[in-house]
Amino acid sequence: MSCRLKGRSFLTLLDYSEEEIRCLLEAAHKAKKEKKSGKIFRRFASKTLALLFEKRSTRTRCAFETAFGEEGGHPVFLGAGDIHLGEKESIEDTARVMGRMFDCIMFRGYEQKTAEILAEYSGVPVYNGLTDLFHPTQTLADLMTMEEAFGTLNGKKCVYIGDGRNNVARSLLAGCSIMGVHTTIVAPEELRPDREFVARCGTIKKAGVKIEITDSVDTGLDGADVVYTDVWVSMGEEEKEEERVRLLTPYRVTETLMKKSGKSETIFLHCLPAVKGKEVTAPVIEGSSSRVWDQAENRKHTIKALMLLTL
Ligand code: CP
Ligand code: NVA
């Protein structure tokens, strides 16, 4: 299988076809095997990567830095407050300058528009490392982890439970729909993904894929192969804490909730960081169905694959 992805940005995942995501996943499985074999590659030698962070990160930063650096590339971390992005200098001008100095750019921040401007004006691939609206590199790792667990994605059922309107839920819904995974979002009315976005996922989904949005834990969880949750309060929404606890406590992932799938092999995923005792209990995240550490590791292999194919 070959895909022409050179020069492409990765901003939302919605513009990637099933075949293109398949290429990324195959490259990620291969990159993981290569890493475990101990072979040394220098595929990013003499290349530079700018890492722009307006929000904090552990996994995304470490995945990009180590994936790029261990293959001979030079990642440059630029945290909030280090550069003039949007303050004193327009995002467009910063992008133009970065495009002259770097081979690719990763952006983590608030506005999706910033990632889009960076891509438009820099002329180099831009990777969305999380915005308020999307977290597409997370979804690649999620799909890879599901594939490792089940050997296939086709026809599996992924249930995301919790804040259904956040970046992780939206990207997961899009990625699963494209790749043939039935997806259910279980969330209270107030925290459902917006209708327009769900309708868009309906237009890009693989034939036969079912998308369901419900507030019912019982019907939503039935038949789940994957139960996925994320924090109740995303970065930048800290003032919503009280309201979220009130709305989402009935949606906490507990051992009892996991059993509602009716399947013994159901796995638990979480993008991390997790607030144990809030969106998920310790016995679930530490239990035998949890794949969260594989999932975190897979961030690195999928991100390496993304850079290998687009650079
Ligand atoms: N899952 C994820 O993006 O983690 P970080 O916020 O630590 O990068
Ligand atoms: N929804 C979370 C994801 C963190 C990786 C956030 O935006 O904070």
Side-chain angles (χ1 to χ4, degrees):
M1 179 176 294
S2 73
C3 292
R4 283 206 209 104
L5 296 177
K6 296 263 177 274
R8 285 271 294 272
S9 286
F10 193 65
L11 300 177
T12 65
L13 186 144
L14 297 165
D15 56 335
Y16 275 62
S17 66
E18 182 192 1
E19 192 181 9
E20 288 166 342
I21 296 172
R22 168 61 37 219
C23 280
L24 290 169
L25 292 175
E26 293 306 321
H29 289 298
K30 188 161 174 251
K32 187 169 186 173
K33 279 197 202 101
E34 286 166 353
K35 180 70 189 155
K36 306 279 175 204
S37 78
K39 276 193 216 140
I40 294 169
F41 295 91
R42 308 284 294 167
R43 291 172 285 197
F44 299 130
S46 87
K47 299 238 184 284
T48 49
L49 159 70
L51 295 161
L52 267 63
F53 283 90
E54 292 177 344
K55 292 178 178 171
R56 285 173 191 238
S57 167
T58 300
R59 279 143 290 269
T60 309
R61 176 179 175 179
C62 296
F64 272 99
E65 280 206 33
T66 59
F68 203 67
E70 75 190 16
E71 297 241 6
H74 181 52
V76 177
F77 177 79
L78 301 161
D82 287 340
I83 57 168
H84 302 295
L85 188 72
E87 269 179 51
K88 198 166 168 193
E89 187 169 56
S90 69
I91 298 160
E92 287 84 347
D93 288 356
T94 301
R96 287 181 174 113
V97 173
M98 293 212 151
R100 300 289 180 109
M101 301 201 187
F102 291 95
D103 295 289
C104 52
I105 299 168
M106 189 241 54
F107 172 74
R108 166 172 288 203
Y110 296 91
E111 303 280 335
Q112 178 67 21
K113 189 79 193 149
T114 307
E116 279 158 21
I117 295 173
L118 286 169
E120 187 181 343
Y121 285 83
S122 68
V124 297
V126 172
Y127 311 119
N128 177 356
L130 180 148
T131 59
D132 289 346
L133 291 186
F134 294 105
H135 197 4
T137 63
Q138 178 66 52
T139 305
L140 291 180
D142 304 339
L143 292 168
M144 180 179 182
T145 311
M146 290 179 208
E147 205 156 63
E148 284 178 339
F150 303 115
T152 181
L153 296 174
N154 229 10
K156 293 292 163 191
K157 175 174 174 177
C158 176
V159 177
Y160 175 97
I161 180 162
D163 176 9
R165 39 145 293 289
N166 82 9
N167 40 21
V168 169
R170 287 162 53 92
S171 291
L172 186 73
L173 177 58
C176 284
S177 305
I178 296 169
M179 296 312 289
V181 180
H182 304 303
T183 309
T184 301
I185 306 271
V186 182
E189 190 74 36
E190 297 86 336
L191 297 172
R192 289 181 167 203
D194 74 77
R195 275 171 206 271
E196 222 175 282
F197 181 73
V198 176
R200 175 124 189 247
C201 290
T203 65
I204 55 172
K205 75 181 170 71
K206 186 169 175 165
V209 163
K210 287 185 223 124
I211 295 176
E212 189 193 1
I213 315 291
T214 177
D215 59 4
S216 163
V217 175
D218 288 329
T219 54
L221 267 287
D222 188 38
D225 298 292
V226 179
V227 177
Y228 195 128
T229 193
D230 182 14
V231 287
W232 289 347
V233 182
S234 286
M235 288 180 275
E237 301 186 321
E238 288 71 16
E239 80 287 355
K240 305 258 194 229
E241 165 101 35
E242 218 179 288
E243 180 192 318
R244 293 288 164 78
V245 171
R246 178 175 57 78
L247 289 171
L248 288 170
T249 296
Y251 297 86
R252 173 177 296 138
V253 180
T254 60
E255 288 171 296
T256 310
L257 183 138
M258 288 293 291
K259 289 201 183 92
K260 290 183 191 289
S261 75
K263 293 181 174 173
S264 56
E265 66 279 12
T266 304
I267 62 167
F268 173 73
L269 296 181
H270 191 309
C271 57
L272 305 177
V275 187
K276 293 177 199 174
K278 280 279 195 327
E279 72 272 10
V280 59
T281 60
V284 172
I285 199 166
E286 305 291 352
S288 58
S289 60
S290 174
R291 295 284 184 282
V292 300
W293 314 116
D294 293 334
Q295 188 186 3
E297 177 190 333
N298 288 341
R299 296 297 308 286
K300 172 167 171 161
H301 307 300
T302 44
I303 281 169
K304 184 185 273 185
L306 175 65
M307 293 192 291
L308 282 172
L309 268 65
T310 54
L311 271 187

